[in-house]
Amino acid sequence: MLSIRPFGPPDLPHVAGIVRESLRENYPSSLYIDIHRWWRDGFLIAENGASILGFLAAVVNAPSTARILMLAVREPWRRQGVGSRLMDVFVRECGMRGLRDVELEVRKSNVAAIRFYTRYGFQISNLIPRFYTDGEDGFKMRRHL
Ligand code: ACO
């Protein structure tokens, strides 16, 4: 049974593991703690019983704009609606906080994620040359709520 709940500090090693596997990044623990402190309701965990399947982490970037920093679902659980559930709950949280726009960056080569975001009403607004540390370009995508 899939449920979406706020992140808590005991989730940290699981989230860091998903980030390593799915986003190929290695961030210090302090980053997750800071994101959690900045906006508790914008850091969401998808779980099935005791297993964490995915997460979404966002910050408030401007008075009316949220920025999704990370969204990932563990590989065996993709294409089963987990990312959609995370996005639905996140958009509801944005509404409750009075946020009107959501933005994010995605690797230019990440066709699956670009399709996912497009399905959720995001549009590519511009290319960001060499946005990623390995030199890959990123797309900025935005959605008006
Ligand atoms: N190819 C094409 N369309 C896709 C794909 C895909 N691989 N994945 C999702 N979609 C689209 C489809 O329209 C899908 O609906 P359908 O299955 O009925 O056709 C719809 O999105 C909803 O898919 P979900 O099952 O809800 O999405 P999922 O749980 O698989 O999560 C996610 C999508 C988060 C992008 C997942 O693929 C993932 O974790 N990828 C690796 C990590 C990643 O790239 N994250 C985004 C980086 S950008 C950032 O973090 C800001």
Side-chain angles (χ1 to χ4, degrees):
M1 180 69 166
L2 178 66
S3 63
I4 309 294
R5 61 165 175 79
F7 168 89
D11 301 320
L12 206 156
H14 304 282
V15 168
I18 296 173
V19 170
R20 274 195 301 275
E21 279 169 31
S22 297
L23 298 172
R24 302 190 311 277
E25 300 283 359
N26 222 336
Y27 298 121
S29 301
S30 57
L31 176 78
Y32 302 103
I33 298 297
D34 282 344
I35 295 171
H36 183 228
R37 213 179 44 227
W38 290 328
W39 183 18
R40 281 171 191 253
D41 297 328
F43 198 162
L44 300 168
I45 298 290
E47 76 178 355
N48 185 354
S51 303
I52 294 181
L53 312 184
F55 78 101
L56 182 156
V59 293
V60 178
N61 208 22
S64 66
T65 306
R67 180 178 174 203
I68 299 177
L69 300 178
M70 294 177 255
L71 166 65
V73 173
R74 285 177 49 217
E75 229 248 307
W77 295 95
R78 289 184 196 154
R79 268 342 252 279
Q80 295 175 55
V82 177
S84 300
R85 283 283 302 278
L86 282 163
M87 184 62 81
D88 288 344
V89 173
F90 175 67
V91 166
R92 208 178 318 135
E93 291 297 339
C94 287
M96 287 195 280
R97 199 179 160 128
L99 299 169
R100 304 295 304 137
D101 296 282
V102 182
E103 59 180 30
L104 57 88
E105 292 83 20
V106 59
R107 285 179 183 269
K108 196 179 164 186
S109 63
N110 194 346
V111 175
I114 293 168
R115 292 225 173 111
F116 173 85
Y117 291 127
T118 303
R119 160 116 179 230
Y120 271 90
F122 286 81
Q123 290 182 327
I124 293 172
S125 64
N126 55 289
L127 179 81
I128 316 172
R130 301 182 64 80
F131 180 73
Y132 293 93
T133 45
D134 61 5
E136 184 172 351
D137 296 344
F139 283 131
K140 169 79 86 181
M141 298 188 80
R142 295 181 203 274
R143 173 182 167 182
H144 185 65
L145 300 179

